[in-house]
Amino acid sequence: MSEKITGAEALMRSLVNEGVKTIFGYPGGAIMPVFDALYDYRDRLNHILVRHEQGATHAAQGFARVSGEVGCCLVTSGPGATNTITGIADAMIDSTPMVVICGQVGTAMLGTDAFQEVDVVGITSPISKWNFQIRRAEDVAWAVSRAFYIAKSGRPGPVVLDFAKNAQTGMVDYQPSKVDFIRSYDPDPQPSDEAIKMAAKMIDDSVKPFVLVGQGVELGNAQKELREFLEKAQIPAGCTLLGLSALPSDHPLNMGMLGMHGNLGPNVMTNQCDLLIAVGMRFDDRVTGNLKTYAKQAKIIHFDIDPSEFDKNVKVDLPVLGNCKTTLAAVTKLISPAKHNSWIQGFQPYAEKEYNKVIEKAINPTEGPLLMGEVVRKVSAAANNEAVLVTDVGQNQMFGCRYFKFTKPRSVVTSGGCGTMGFGLPAAIGATFGAPERTVCLFVGDGGLQMTIQELGTIMEQQCPVKIILLNNNFLGNVRQWQAMFFNHRYSFTPMANPDYEKIAEAYGIPAHTVVDRSDLDNSIRVMLDTPGPYLLQCAVLEEDNVLPMTPPGADVDKMLLEVKD
Amino acid sequence: MPNQNNDCQTCGKCDNTAREKNSSKNGLPLHTIIVYSENISGLLSQITAVFTRRQVNIETLNVCASSTPGVHKYTITCFCDTEMAEMLKKQMEKRIDVLQANYFTDDQIYIQETALFKLSTPAVLQNNRISKVIRIHDAKIVEVNPTYSIVEKTGLTEEILSLFDSLTELECILQFVRSGRIAVTKSTIEKLDEYIRLREKKHAQIMEQ
């Protein structure tokens, strides 16, 4: 027996069917029927009221990244929808599964420049994996099921549902829908046996193999398969920014972070290996530097689930299409155990050089103002290297990712491809809902915090246990560093006058403390971690600190600067 | 196959230079990209956006239903190298509702275009070279009235442009329109059918599980 319900209620039932439990949203005119239906579903659907729709998208991203589930947002039409654009674009480039449902004016008013009407399907088309305008209540069940299927399958990404008001209020004979096949879309391509065999042979033949670990390993839930693969043939690996927690930081084969501010060893050795094995990564320019000199000496194997990534930036010798959970396991079976001792030892001098010239100074300073690196490393250690790292964008992000240590998968939440300032605070909120049993540490600068500072209201209301570590240098630090290095120290609009953040935290009822002296740091971190609920720890850090080492933009991957020359 | 013949038999006017001009631009060869998609609204702008974002100009575009029910066919021409054509193919196939995209050079497909010329009838009557040109180009006169006449020409781009050049010289054109290229592959394998068959097999497997 079916019954007639509204499209809005059909949405509620469809979300419950998809296993959604948490929604980040903000009501408004064109989505009111849905919010009215939600009122009766509060026991099953936990709606978190954010303070700005951009916050809803980043929270959904943070939720998705730590949990592996689809993040869900519910917003109104017009400005509600346009405020989600940054989050949608961010989720697209960082392959984060997310469904954004926004209200839309009734179909009779579409195209008339009605109040709060915006062409959301048109705007989000290039930045979403799929989008759809729901114009009839009958389409709700199908569209929602299709949206979740697309968002989470294959290479994940954001999906936008533009929900016309008449479809929300229209009555429908509700039948649950289950989309698990789309003719034009193959999210689980069958790996080719020949490619697997060829990969195994190339690996066996290689003397100096090197693996690039990307977020695809986390998305494919292939952390175990990766370890078995690396360990069987003793292949050293470097991780991309988003792939950092796919392999424990202290794993003997983990040579560190790749990229512009990554570790010296993995970047230099990229141009010395004889076989480069990329797994679930996309050769971003921040990883490769100058493509003309990138790994030219090596054969390249690329494992990816998205065929459009093959040969996009770097020409590869062997693409291996498929979920890396399957393909890595298949290749591991075929390869012979190996050692590569001298090749692995070759990383050591670079690690030592970087430690002596950069790391030691960054994490163990004995005098002068606090440094970002030491704060990060101390927080990480105080949380037993088991916490989730959330960062904003800029120096806080690079220091955070360089010096935080990871022992558990799905522990990095950062805006990679999009580099979205303001991402951190709302993403950390989402992470506390996605991994409620874990400690969530946010590193944020004074610039990025103020871009989405309104979400302190969400933290207050929900008592989200976000440990906010504000690395305050009174500068837009990353841009200032570039101005110092490439624009002759002309600090064009990067110094910032700051408000009293402790007072702001106090106004939101969030306990806060400011550390100025090094002697106060350990204890302050302890107090922060021991305080239940949210906490703001402001660290007054060196104003003109630089993230090092650095591959200048467009420079060769193995030409990293270890110091900034004035 | 007149399409493959550089010395065009139909008009006798096409030469290698004309073909060169038309088959490459700034050293980039002309590619014809044939795309099949599900019949879902909004797809056209998604497909064209793939070109715009990569700074490739679409020269011609034709969209119509294909011989497979529910499947739309896009025939797109653009000047780009093979690497770019491959990237365009992959990026279009990445769109959820695109079934398949393939790119071809002119020797791999049978090509046709249609043009309509609206001519001034008094001009045609005054100058008998005009009707001669129409005959030489094997074009059809499909409408005549005292004010204007309509001439239809089907053929390759250069054949149509050759007629256009001749009629322009004779100062009789009121309006001119040329359709986008349409093309069918010369291959004996129907890639779309093959793809759909594979997908149906996969669907059956999923249903079984």
Side-chain angles (χ1 to χ4, degrees), chain A residues 125 128-130 135 146 150 155 180-186 188 306-308 310 312 315, chain B residues 38 40-41 46 69 71 83 87 90-91 94-99 195-196 199-200 202-203 206:
Chain A
S125 178
S128 61
K129 190 172 171 188
W130 185 63
R135 297 177 189 143
R146 202 175 201 254
I150 291 170
R155 177 178 180 179
D180 53 13
F181 177 81
I182 296 170
R183 182 169 72 168
S184 54
Y185 166 63
D186 188 0
D188 188 20
D306 177 359
S308 75
F310 297 137
K312 188 186 76 178
K315 278 262 168 212
Chain B
E38 302 289 3
I40 286 183
S41 71
Q46 290 184 37
V71 173
E83 273 175 28
M87 185 183 280
K90 285 176 179 169
Q91 292 297 332
K94 192 169 172 172
R95 303 311 305 186
I96 299 291
D97 296 306
V98 169
L99 288 151
Y195 174 83
I196 289 175
R199 295 298 295 152
E200 276 164 2
K202 183 123 181 193
H203 191 201
I206 290 171

Side-chain angles (χ1 to χ4, degrees), chain A residues 20-38:
Chain A
V20 174
K21 293 187 183 69
T22 311
I23 302 173
F24 302 92
Y26 205 102
I31 196 72
M32 281 184 69
V34 170
F35 270 85
D36 188 60
L38 180 60

